[in-house]
Amino acid sequence: MLYRYMDMSEAMYELRLLAGNGYTQPLTAYEKTRLVERTKAALMRAKEEDGLEIQGKMRDLIAAMLNESSTNVARMESINNNATPEVKEQLKSGNMGITAAYEAAKLPPEEQKAIADKVAAGEDIRAKEIAAKVAEKKAGDNYETPHPESITSLCYSCQRYKDCNVKTGTCEKCDQYINKAEAEKTEEQRYNEEQDRIDKQTRKKLQERADKEKMENLPSAGKAVDKVHEIKIAASYYDDVTSGRKRFELRKNDRGYKVGDTLKMLEFEDGKHTGRIIDADIIYMLEDYAGLEEGYCILGIDVKAFSGMVSETDTGGGGGRADRGAKEL
């Protein structure tokens, strides 16, 4: 039993009664709607007569007092303010739920009355149908009948869909929304998703690192890139080149040779590659010189490696080819 204290005003006493009803009494949809209306009126009265300070939105305060969501309170306020007596009567009789009444309250009075009359006659009109009518009314001539794949209501993906009494086909935001797919995932699914996320981040970081290294290794402006030229060398010259006796090549400059490039010289005998190779750097270049045929050049080369070379140990640590820094391929 709720007692009234001597210094308690009528408005404050009524607020305590209303709040108690919201928490302790099982109420119908219509009774909840009326309770919201009475609570709002009592709050306004307490504010004017008793100087009650209301912080934040009044809707949120009413929701907290009556153990309701702010969304539901907003819908009930809309019914109280906009629904016709006929719609409220059908809500009171239980023929129409809060969601249907809320959607109907968005329509003109004559259309609300028509819907209420159909409901009173026993016709089953769902909230979704009324919401579609509201959307059609808003869109006017540009209205298109929605297709299932275009419905974006949160309700259909909410874990509370079956038990919710205010679900609609047009909901875009709800403070009670719980993503059904997310809430019902198994531990294994969550683990796999986490691993996929980590793998994705790792791949992204590796790609970013590779892109960064690629950019860092780009040739600077004005600096040409050294090339590797694969050319043939007659078997009769192979030993002369590897021994260091022949440190030049006379070549037609049809490859754009330049100092710093590398020659990969493939030994050929009787028209066939023997398998032996010489790697040499171009360290000097002579062209456009008297006595040189036009288009030809002389390349000074430094042998770095070749097939079948003799190691320093085999030569007794002496000079020769190993002293020039060449290595065996």
Side-chain angles (χ1 to χ4, degrees), residues 18 30 32-42 62 66 76-77 80-81 88:
L18 294 172
Y30 176 76
K32 287 182 180 180
T33 304
R34 290 284 296 122
L35 186 60
V36 167
E37 184 178 33
R38 291 180 59 192
T39 303
K40 183 176 182 179
I62 295 173
L66 304 183
M76 294 176 198
E77 284 185 320
N80 289 327
N81 296 332
K88 291 179 180 178

Side-chain angles (χ1 to χ4, degrees), residues 60-196:
D60 294 337
L61 177 58
I62 295 173
M65 290 176 62
L66 304 183
N67 194 28
E68 276 288 349
S69 69
S70 296
T71 301
N72 283 351
V73 170
R75 290 176 176 176
M76 294 176 198
E77 284 185 320
S78 178
I79 293 171
N80 289 327
N81 296 332
N82 304 312
T84 61
E86 293 83 4
V87 169
K88 291 179 180 178
E89 182 61 33
Q90 294 308 310
L91 179 64
K92 182 178 180 180
S93 63
N95 296 329
M96 184 179 285
I98 285 181
T99 305
Y102 166 69
E103 294 294 344
K106 299 176 184 178
L107 295 169
E110 61 275 11
E111 294 188 34
Q112 289 191 48
K113 185 177 184 304
I115 290 174
D117 290 344
K118 290 181 180 180
V119 172
E123 189 171 336
D124 184 17
I125 300 180
R126 299 183 179 275
K128 189 185 299 185
E129 298 175 37
I130 303 175
K133 191 175 185 67
V134 172
E136 182 179 357
K137 197 76 176 177
K138 286 183 178 180
D141 295 336
N142 296 323
Y143 178 77
E144 292 184 9
T145 302
H147 302 286
E149 60 268 22
S150 66
I151 293 176
T152 57
S153 175
L154 287 176
C155 296
Y156 303 120
S157 61
C158 182
Q159 192 181 35
R160 298 177 174 176
Y161 178 79
K162 291 183 178 180
D163 302 323
C164 181
N165 64 341
V166 290
K167 50 182 174 277
T168 72
T170 56
C171 178
E172 295 181 356
K173 186 177 181 181
C174 178
D175 59 358
Q176 301 295 313
Y177 175 75
I178 299 177
N179 187 292
K180 185 175 186 295
E182 186 65 30
E184 296 179 358
K185 284 179 182 176
T186 64
E187 289 301 319
E188 183 179 2
Q189 287 176 317
R190 295 183 190 279
Y191 174 80
N192 290 336
E193 287 183 358
E194 178 65 16
Q195 292 304 308
D196 289 341

Side-chain angles (χ1 to χ4, degrees), residues 247 258-261 280-285 299-302 304:
R247 299 183 181 225
K258 67 180 186 306
V259 174
D261 286 356
D281 291 342
I282 299 175
I283 59 174
Y284 185 80
M285 185 170 176
L299 306 174
I301 61 174
D302 180 22
K304 294 298 182 183

Side-chain angles (χ1 to χ4, degrees), residues 2 17 28 76 82 87 91 121 149 160 204 257 276 290 297:
L2 186 63
L17 285 174
T28 65
M76 294 176 198
N82 304 312
V87 169
L91 179 64
E149 60 268 22
R160 298 177 174 176
K204 182 180 179 182
Y257 297 113
R276 296 202 295 178
C297 63

Side-chain angles (χ1 to χ4, degrees), residues 20-21 79-80 99 120 148 150 160 201 228-229 239 246 265 290 294 302 324:
N21 288 337
I79 293 171
N80 289 327
T99 305
S150 66
R160 298 177 174 176
Q201 289 180 344
V228 177
H229 305 280
D239 290 337
K246 182 176 181 292
M265 308 167 75
E294 185 178 353
D302 180 22
R324 303 201 331 267

